Coordinates of all heavy atoms in Angstrom, one line a residue:
R30 N 2.4 18.9 -8.8 CA 2.3 20.1 -8.0 C 3.1 21.2 -8.6 O 4.1 21.7 -8.0 CB 2.6 19.9 -6.6 CG 1.6 19.0 -5.8 CD 1.8 19.0 -4.3 NE 1.6 20.3 -3.8 CZ 2.5 21.0 -3.1 NH1 3.7 20.5 -2.9 NH2 2.2 22.2 -2.7
H31 N 2.8 21.7 -9.8 CA 3.5 22.8 -10.4 C 2.6 23.4 -11.5 O 1.6 22.8 -11.9 CB 4.8 22.2 -11.1 CG 4.6 21.0 -12.0 ND1 3.9 21.1 -13.2 CD2 4.9 19.7 -11.8 CE1 3.9 19.9 -13.7 NE2 4.5 19.1 -12.9
P32 N 3.0 24.6 -12.0 CA 2.2 25.2 -13.1 C 2.1 24.2 -14.3 O 3.1 23.5 -14.5 CB 2.9 26.5 -13.4 CG 3.7 26.8 -12.2 CD 4.1 25.4 -11.6
M33 N 1.0 24.2 -15.0 CA 0.8 23.3 -16.0 C 0.0 23.9 -17.2 O -1.1 24.5 -16.9 CB 0.1 22.1 -15.5 CG -0.1 20.9 -16.4 SD -1.1 19.6 -15.6 CE 0.0 19.0 -14.4
P34 N 0.4 23.8 -18.4 CA -0.4 24.3 -19.5 C -1.7 23.5 -19.6 O -1.7 22.3 -19.2 CB 0.4 24.0 -20.8 CG 1.8 23.8 -20.3 CD 1.7 23.3 -18.9
D35 N -2.8 24.1 -20.0 CA -4.1 23.4 -20.0 C -4.1 22.2 -20.9 O -4.8 21.2 -20.7 CB -5.2 24.4 -20.4 CG -5.4 25.5 -19.4 OD1 -5.0 25.3 -18.2 OD2 -6.1 26.5 -19.7
G36 N -3.3 22.2 -22.0 CA -3.2 21.1 -22.9 C -2.6 19.9 -22.2 O -3.1 18.7 -22.3
R37 N -1.7 20.1 -21.3 CA -1.1 19.0 -20.5 C -2.1 18.5 -19.5 O -2.2 17.3 -19.3 CB 0.2 19.4 -19.9 CG 0.9 18.3 -19.3 CD 2.4 18.6 -18.9 NE 3.0 17.4 -18.3 CZ 3.7 17.5 -17.2 NH1 4.1 18.6 -16.7 NH2 4.2 16.3 -16.7
W38 N -2.8 19.4 -18.9 CA -3.9 19.0 -17.9 C -4.9 18.0 -18.6 O -5.2 17.0 -18.2 CB -4.6 20.2 -17.4 CG -5.8 20.1 -16.6 CD1 -7.1 20.1 -17.1 CD2 -5.9 19.9 -15.2 NE1 -8.0 19.9 -16.1 CE2 -7.3 19.8 -14.9 CE3 -5.0 19.8 -14.2 CZ2 -7.8 19.7 -13.6 CZ3 -5.5 19.7 -12.9 CH2 -6.8 19.6 -12.6
R39 N -5.4 18.5 -19.8 CA -6.4 17.7 -20.5 C -5.7 16.3 -21.0 O -6.4 15.3 -21.0 CB -6.9 18.4 -21.7 CG -7.9 19.5 -21.4 CD -8.6 20.1 -22.6 NE -7.7 20.7 -23.5 CZ -7.4 22.0 -23.5 NH1 -7.8 22.8 -22.5 NH2 -6.5 22.5 -24.3
N40 N -4.5 16.4 -21.3 CA -3.8 15.2 -21.8 C -3.8 14.1 -20.7 O -3.9 12.9 -21.0 CB -2.4 15.6 -22.3 CG -1.8 14.5 -23.1 OD1 -2.5 13.7 -23.8 ND2 -0.5 14.4 -23.1
F41 N -3.6 14.6 -19.5 CA -3.6 13.6 -18.3 C -4.9 12.8 -18.3 O -4.9 11.6 -18.2 CB -3.4 14.3 -17.0 CG -3.5 13.4 -15.8 CD1 -2.4 12.7 -15.3 CD2 -4.8 13.3 -15.2 CE1 -2.6 11.9 -14.2 CE2 -4.9 12.4 -14.1 CZ -3.9 11.7 -13.6
F42 N -6.0 13.6 -18.4 CA -7.3 12.9 -18.3 C -7.6 12.1 -19.5 O -8.2 11.0 -19.4 CB -8.4 14.0 -18.0 CG -8.2 14.6 -16.6 CD1 -7.6 15.9 -16.5 CD2 -8.6 14.0 -15.5 CE1 -7.3 16.4 -15.3 CE2 -8.4 14.6 -14.2 CZ -7.8 15.8 -14.1
D43 N -7.2 12.6 -20.7 CA -7.4 11.8 -21.9 C -6.6 10.5 -21.8 O -7.1 9.4 -22.2 CB -7.0 12.6 -23.1 CG -7.9 13.8 -23.4 OD1 -9.0 13.8 -22.8 OD2 -7.5 14.6 -24.2
T44 N -5.4 10.6 -21.3 CA -4.6 9.4 -21.2 C -5.1 8.4 -20.2 O -5.2 7.2 -20.5 CB -3.1 9.8 -20.8 OG1 -2.6 10.8 -21.8 CG2 -2.2 8.6 -20.8
A45 N -5.6 9.0 -19.1 CA -6.2 8.1 -18.1 C -7.4 7.3 -18.7 O -7.6 6.1 -18.5 CB -6.6 8.9 -16.9
A46 N -8.2 8.1 -19.4 CA -9.4 7.4 -20.0 C -9.0 6.3 -21.0 O -9.7 5.3 -21.2 CB -10.3 8.5 -20.7
R47 N -7.9 6.6 -21.7 CA -7.4 5.6 -22.7 C -6.8 4.4 -22.1 O -7.0 3.2 -22.5 CB -6.5 6.3 -23.6 CG -6.4 5.7 -25.0 CD -5.5 6.5 -26.0 NE -4.2 6.6 -25.5 CZ -3.6 7.8 -25.1 NH1 -4.4 8.9 -25.2 NH2 -2.4 7.9 -24.7
I48 N -6.0 4.6 -21.1 CA -5.1 3.4 -20.6 C -5.7 2.7 -19.4 O -5.3 1.5 -19.2 CB -3.7 3.9 -20.3 CG1 -3.6 4.8 -19.1 CG2 -3.0 4.5 -21.5 CD1 -2.2 5.0 -18.5
L49 N -6.5 3.3 -18.6 CA -7.0 2.6 -17.4 C -8.1 1.6 -17.8 O -9.2 2.0 -18.3 CB -7.5 3.6 -16.4 CG -6.5 4.5 -15.7 CD1 -7.1 5.4 -14.7 CD2 -5.4 3.7 -15.0
P50 N -7.9 0.3 -17.5 CA -8.9 -0.7 -17.9 C -10.2 -0.4 -17.1 O -10.2 0.2 -16.0 CB -8.3 -2.0 -17.5 CG -6.8 -1.7 -17.3 CD -6.7 -0.3 -16.9
R51 N -11.3 -1.0 -17.6 CA -12.6 -0.8 -17.0 C -12.6 -1.3 -15.6 O -13.2 -0.6 -14.7 CB -13.6 -1.6 -17.9 CG -15.0 -1.3 -17.5 CD -15.9 -2.2 -18.3 NE -15.8 -2.0 -19.8 CZ -16.6 -1.2 -20.5 NH1 -17.6 -0.7 -19.9 NH2 -16.4 -1.1 -21.8
D52 N -12.0 -2.4 -15.3 CA -12.0 -2.9 -13.9 C -11.3 -1.9 -12.9 O -11.7 -1.8 -11.8 CB -11.5 -4.3 -13.8 CG -10.1 -4.5 -14.2 OD1 -9.6 -3.7 -15.1 OD2 -9.3 -5.3 -13.6
V53 N -10.2 -1.3 -13.4 CA -9.5 -0.4 -12.6 C -10.3 0.9 -12.3 O -10.4 1.4 -11.2 CB -8.1 0.0 -13.2 CG1 -7.4 1.1 -12.4 CG2 -7.2 -1.2 -13.3
R54 N -11.0 1.3 -13.4 CA -11.8 2.5 -13.2 C -13.0 2.2 -12.3 O -13.4 3.1 -11.5 CB -12.4 3.0 -14.6 CG -11.2 3.5 -15.4 CD -11.6 3.7 -16.9 NE -12.6 4.7 -17.0 CZ -12.8 5.3 -18.2 NH1 -12.1 4.9 -19.3 NH2 -13.8 6.2 -18.3
S55 N -13.5 1.0 -12.3 CA -14.6 0.6 -11.4 C -14.1 0.6 -10.0 O -14.8 1.0 -9.0 CB -15.2 -0.7 -11.7 OG -15.7 -0.7 -13.0
A56 N -12.8 0.2 -9.8 CA -12.3 0.1 -8.5 C -11.9 1.5 -7.9 O -12.0 1.7 -6.7 CB -11.0 -0.8 -8.5

Side-chain angles (χ1 to χ4, degrees):
R30 289 192 64 238
H31 52 69
M33 185 184 292
D35 291 345
R37 188 163 178 225
W38 169 268
R39 285 193 296 271
N40 198 26
F41 172 90
F42 294 98
D43 291 346
T44 304
R47 202 174 60 248
I48 67 167
L49 292 178
R51 192 183 296 263
D52 61 326
V53 172
R54 292 168 65 163
S55 301

